[in-house]
Amino acid sequence: MTGDRKKEPWTSIQVVVIGDAGVGKSSMILTIATDSFAEGVPHVLPPTRLPTDFYPDGVPLSIFDTSARPEDKSKLDMELKKADVVVLTYACDQPVTLARLSKYWLPELRRLELNLPVIVVGCKLDLRDERKPSLEESMAPLMQEFQEIETCMMCSAAEQIQVAEVFYYAQKAVLHPTGPLFDRETQSLKPRCVRALKRIFILCDHDRDGALSDAELNEFQVKCFNAPLQPAEIVGVKKVVSDKMAEGVNKNGLTSIGFLFLHALFIERGRLETTWTVLRKFGYNDEITLRDDVLSSPSFKRASDQSVELTQKAIDFLREAFTTLDQDGDGTLQPAELEDMFSTAPSNPWDSPLYKNTTETNSVGGITWNGFISQWEFMTLLDPQKSSASLVYLGYPGDTSTAFQVTRRRKHDQKRQRSQRGVIQCFIFGPRKSGKSAILDALIGRPFKESYDPSKGDRYAINKIGLSGGANKTLIMREINEASVSAFLEDKEALAPCNVAAFVYDSSSEESLKRAAELLEQVAVSSECSGYEVPCLLLAAKNDEESNPSCITRSARICSTMGLETPTPVSMKLGDNNNLFLRIVEAAQHPHLSIPETELGKSTKQHRQLIQQSVGFVLVGTTLIVGGITLYRLYNMRKLHSSS
């Protein structure tokens, strides 16, 4: 079912009652409206509205009666598409109408793609044959097949039995739905519900001892339900839990396991409003994700050549979280520990392929602190809103605007001849088989691979680079696929976020150097035209192989012509990177250096200089002329004055 439901907060709820003709739909509606039963009810009643105070939740219900006649089918469909909940009826004394629920009505609701809760109601309970199977027996298969059924019940309009309960449960199905919380098939809380409740538990566990003490439990109770628990009630709650599962309570109080068990128990006993009240008090919506007003992501307004970085406060918070989860103290987070970190969020934000194999890990797949914080900085650079939301789900204290800072524009860095950025982004270009991927692997400590495995699309690698004096920078290397360079540069701002561009060629192949030089020229021209000039480095890869003499001569000429440093020789196979990553960071820190100059750029520069000289001459000439006129007028004024 793909229909979209309205979002809370609910100001009114529209209930549509459907079912075969003669099952008692109209009589049931009239009874709830008038608090009495009447004979000779009209075929279809006009809309009926229950007042705000009819039920405790204080949300008014509008009840719509419908016709099952074929000629009224289009009107019925129209009403259903406006509904918030469906009351599907059958007659307890007419078995054929019960069979029609699974054969016609429920499949028809699915055909309309209505994402709505359904309340199944057996009308005319007073006429039911007691020898028939119980409600639970007859409804269990139906509820198993159609998960959209929220609950099943029976009523009697003639005897006024459970009629009010029908619409109470209809309202409850909208305000406190079972679906997002509980999986009927497995009889367990759904993963997203578990994640939300775990986060709430952690937020309430102020002393971080893994249990809610009596004081913490009481504070939670007051926050959610505006009333404290009496000492005897707290003892009773813990006894209910400990009787069912010993690990639910320890000497410090109610554990997270016990907290989750309590909510599963509430739901099993039909007290869904308890769990929903808790979730909503802590800012969750009907999809069990935090509301926008709770996430309150900073605006992150910035120019295309500015980036967003984590503040020291955010880094300190993440370091504490890393240390807490690193229970074995090995300085890494194993996959299970990392998953536990994000167990309070709707999902792991790094599950996207974009984040796979981008950071430093140990031999058994544990992510190091450098890899962990680098991944956070990478996410912050690419998607600061996602980074902000992830911090909130982890329980970051206070306003997340304190967790981020916007960098100075790259253009201003070039003018000041210095960059203070903590996160450096290097775009790496080069022809196929030049060694780009091996360089990215080396950045994150991956062993050299003899076999050639071409990258599919762009690829990233991120790690910390130590500087003299103990400081470090985060280096993000982005491999740009050779085939996509032209399309990539069609975007005039493609190079705006790039701090350094590196061009790799196979030092033993003249053809590889030629292609790398073409890419360098292409990028340099694009940077000159766009105004986002980028420091560039030429990298002579595979230095372990016999160098091509003509490559050495030609590469030196290219660098001399374009005003670049001589190529940096590297061999990833021998593990000799020649301080490459440090060189990249240093080039980014001095953004006015290593800017390549093309023939087009030189011509443009000379043209601008000629224009400036010409403008300067005219200005000087104008000043002289103006000065001459001033002196001439002054001379004539004196002459006239003396003659008078």
Side-chain angles (χ1 to χ4, degrees), residues 275-289:
T275 300
W276 275 115
T277 298
V278 170
L279 291 169
R280 286 166 180 153
K281 282 289 184 181
F282 281 86
Y284 287 88
N285 57 25
D286 282 356
E287 286 72 43
I288 317 186
T289 58

Side-chain angles (χ1 to χ4, degrees), residues 254-376:
L254 184 71
T255 67
S256 62
I257 294 173
F259 188 73
L260 292 171
F261 168 77
L262 268 182
H263 284 280
L265 191 62
F266 291 145
I267 293 167
E268 286 174 8
R269 293 180 177 179
R271 292 174 53 188
L272 290 95
E273 62 274 14
T274 301
T275 300
W276 275 115
T277 298
V278 170
L279 291 169
R280 286 166 180 153
K281 282 289 184 181
F282 281 86
Y284 287 88
N285 57 25
D286 282 356
E287 286 72 43
I288 317 186
T289 58
L290 288 174
R291 300 189 307 267
D292 290 343
D293 62 298
V294 177
L295 292 174
S296 61
S297 176
S299 66
F300 299 118
K301 187 177 181 181
R302 61 199 185 279
S304 55
D305 62 345
Q306 289 178 288
S307 60
V308 180
E309 297 182 359
L310 295 171
T311 62
Q312 190 59 48
K313 181 179 179 181
I315 293 172
D316 290 343
F317 169 78
L318 290 169
R319 184 181 288 279
E320 182 181 352
F322 182 93
T323 304
T324 301
L325 285 170
D326 181 21
Q327 295 180 354
D328 55 8
D330 66 349
T332 67
L333 293 184
Q334 298 304 318
E337 291 173 321
L338 187 63
E339 191 60 37
D340 191 32
M341 167 166 283
F342 294 117
S343 66
T344 56
S347 62
N348 185 332
W350 300 344
D351 275 344
S352 163
L354 188 66
Y355 297 95
K356 297 297 182 185
N357 301 318
T358 57
T359 55
E360 180 182 80
T361 58
N362 64 9
S363 58
V364 292
I367 188 169
T368 64
W369 162 250
N370 278 348
F372 174 79
I373 195 62
S374 296
Q375 191 84 302
W376 269 97

Side-chain angles (χ1 to χ4, degrees), residues 64-81:
F64 290 80
D65 195 6
T66 61
S67 167
R69 296 184 305 192
E71 59 267 32
D72 294 326
K73 181 69 170 61
S74 59
K75 185 177 181 182
L76 171 63
D77 290 353
M78 184 177 64
E79 295 289 2
L80 284 169
K81 288 176 181 178

